[in-house]
Amino acid sequence: MATRKTVSTFAQAKKTGDKLTMLTAYDYSFARLVDASGVDAILVGDSLGNVILGQPDTISVTMEQMIHHTRAVAAGAESALVVGDMPFLSYQVSVQDAVLNAGRLMKEGRAQAVKLEGGVAVESQIRAIVDASVPVMGHIGLTPQSINAMGGFKVQGKGEDAERLMRDALAVQDAGAFAVVIECVPPETGDALTKALAIPTIGIGAGPDCDGQVLVYHDLLGLFGGFQPKFVKRYANVGEVISKAFGNFVSEVKSGAFPGPEHCFSSPQKLDKLY
Ligand code: KIV
């Protein structure tokens, strides 16, 4: 059995300079594949709303959906730290809600840590969740749960706005988070935040100087047909392979090529001898 990665793995990596890796997963089979790659953490992201549930954004994702998918991922992950995302309005309304919902992701979803979006505005929520012994990963910069307030998916932390992100990053750290995701900021901002923080930064569209990188696996594998953000690198075109295989199945059934004799059970007696 593989050794489990923990929040200590993250703290250690910040000291040694080893780059951290995180990928998303939403079910058991993909959790097993992602886990076998050696990633440090598997994020059950609320990107679930986009890539699994076909929604235009993450706003409608519920606690029940996050618990359901986190539990499936936790069952398939042997070595990676399983991080469950807290969905929109599961922590913003009150500190009490935040602690109870973080606890549900752990107790019912079997997450080993939770992630939530925001900086200064959610500092007291992060502190209370950490005090309840639930490790928290922060998420600042472009925070998709706030797209309506931000006026769309826009690069954050440009020019003087970098100072706002620095205040958010320090608030997340001071509240006790063990790591922070930084999304969609110029590389200079990603670098400055990484240098200023004692906790590791995990970048997504935040340049090469973050302490680690995270991607949504649908983007990395070419499984998601829609818009591909600039920060995504496509490592394979699995969508094409799948479409071809599905098409071959359909045409072989229609032509009679499938199933062949090798896919049929042998019968000890001829059917006509049964009567
Ligand atoms: O929900 C998600 O997948 C995320 C990543 C993009 C970091 O938050």
Side-chain angles (χ1 to χ4, degrees):
M1 190 131 161
T3 321
R4 175 70 76 179
K5 311 275 176 76
T6 67
V7 292
S8 308
T9 314
F10 280 68
Q12 187 64 16
K14 182 78 185 185
K15 283 192 199 131
T16 59
D18 281 350
K19 290 279 187 185
L20 290 159
T21 54
M22 181 161 82
L23 284 171
T24 57
Y26 313 92
D27 66 20
Y28 173 75
S29 306
F30 267 92
R32 281 172 58 103
L33 285 170
V34 172
D35 195 63
S37 72
V39 285
D40 297 297
I42 300 182
L43 172 66
V44 191
D46 63 352
S47 48
L48 171 82
N50 307 91
V51 297
I52 303 292
L53 304 175
Q55 299 293 308
D57 51 47
T58 59
I59 300 294
S60 305
V61 175
T62 65
M63 271 304 295
E64 265 54 44
Q65 288 165 342
M66 287 311 305
I67 289 168
H68 179 78
H69 286 269
T70 303
R71 202 173 171 87
V73 168
E78 269 188 19
S79 77
L81 178 81
V82 176
V83 183
D85 228 350
M86 298 196 64
F88 183 52
L89 289 197
S90 68
Y91 57 94
Q92 289 92 339
V93 177
S94 73
V95 168
Q96 190 180 0
D97 272 5
V99 177
L100 286 174
N101 285 323
R104 287 192 70 198
L105 272 175
M106 259 191 152
K107 276 173 79 98
E108 299 170 48
R110 303 296 306 167
Q112 292 135 12
V114 300
K115 176 171 85 56
L116 58 84
E117 297 181 6
V120 174
V122 290
E123 193 174 349
S124 47
Q125 281 90 331
I126 296 176
R127 186 165 287 115
I129 297 170
V130 171
D131 283 349
S133 301
V134 178
V136 174
M137 180 179 277
H139 184 161
I140 61 167
L142 196 169
T143 44
Q145 292 174 14
S146 308
I147 45 149
N148 291 307
M150 286 175 162
F153 293 96
K154 292 181 179 156
V155 177
Q156 304 291 306
K158 283 183 175 170
E160 284 180 8
D161 190 41
E163 284 168 28
R164 175 182 63 86
L165 285 196
M166 187 63 80
R167 284 194 295 278
D168 279 339
L170 292 171
V172 167
Q173 170 172 282
D174 292 349
F178 72 95
V180 59
V181 168
I182 301 176
E183 180 163 353
C184 254
V185 304
E188 299 74 25
T189 308
D191 183 37
L193 295 173
T194 301
K195 288 201 170 102
L197 293 182
I199 57 170
T201 57
I202 314 294
I204 176 160
D209 299 309
C210 292
D211 297 306
Q213 299 290 328
V214 53
L215 281 180
V216 172
Y217 82 73
H218 288 70
D219 292 336
L220 178 156
L221 293 181
L223 279 175
F224 196 56
F227 168 73
Q228 181 179 307
K230 184 179 166 66
F231 55 73
V232 167
K233 177 164 179 184
R234 188 161 283 188
Y235 284 84
N237 246 324
V238 178
E240 248 175 58
V241 176
I242 292 176
S243 297
K244 205 165 155 208
F246 288 165
N248 286 344
F249 166 76
V250 170
S251 51
E252 286 200 359
V253 170
K254 288 191 186 297
S255 72
F258 177 80
E262 69 276 29
H263 306 115
C264 298
F265 299 105
S266 57
S267 167
Q269 288 172 301
K270 288 232 184 286
L271 269 185
D272 55 2
K273 290 206 178 134
L274 289 176
Y275 301 100

